[in-house]
Amino acid sequence: MALLGLPHALLGDTPLADARLWFGAVFLGALALAARRGPRSAGGRGGRAALVNPALLPASCPAVALPSAAGGVDLPVIGLMCLGLALAGRRGGAVAAGAAMGAAAALKWTAWPLLPVALVLLAVTAGRRAAGPPCAPR
């Protein structure tokens, strides 16, 4: 969290140095990466792709407005947790998922329960890759 306070230390008391701005930027950036890295949804009318990615919906939740206004440290933690889970569900994303979840756990101890869930997700995706394509019936 000290890293997000550096703009205030460097720029002084300016609106750009407000920690709430940087908390929100990390949150939205992590969600945008999770949406880009996560599974794609082909929902929508007439077979067209959905205009809104479901991974970005937490950003529009009213429960996000209070931590955004008050400047709580929960937003970057939640964003990094979502990013870690999205990366853990992808092929070859174990190291990046570990980095995102490690950063979340370093920011706040309440992210630690995510780690067993992510380990199971990584084991399932690794097991799916190790099994290979299903064999044709004889």
Side-chain angles (χ1 to χ4, degrees):
M1 296 315 317
L3 183 65
L4 297 174
L6 280 178
H8 182 70
L10 296 174
L11 301 174
D13 200 18
T14 64
L16 186 61
D18 191 2
R20 293 175 292 194
L21 175 70
W22 296 103
F23 290 161
V26 169
F27 173 69
L28 291 175
L31 281 184
L33 279 174
R36 211 177 107 220
R37 299 285 185 188
R40 302 248 186 257
S41 170
R45 295 184 185 171
R48 291 182 294 174
L51 294 177
V52 176
N53 192 312
L56 294 176
L57 289 177
S60 65
C61 179
V64 172
L66 179 63
S68 250
V73 297
D74 294 326
L75 287 181
V77 173
I78 292 169
L80 288 170
M81 290 169 65
C82 290
L83 176 60
L85 285 175
L87 291 171
R90 280 196 70 193
R91 171 175 276 185
V95 173
M101 289 181 279
L107 289 176
K108 197 166 184 180
W109 67 270
T110 54
W112 279 95
L114 173 72
L115 298 179
V117 173
L119 287 175
V120 170
L121 181 61
L122 285 168
V124 167
T125 57
R128 185 172 54 216
R129 284 193 303 264
C135 296
R138 294 181 192 234

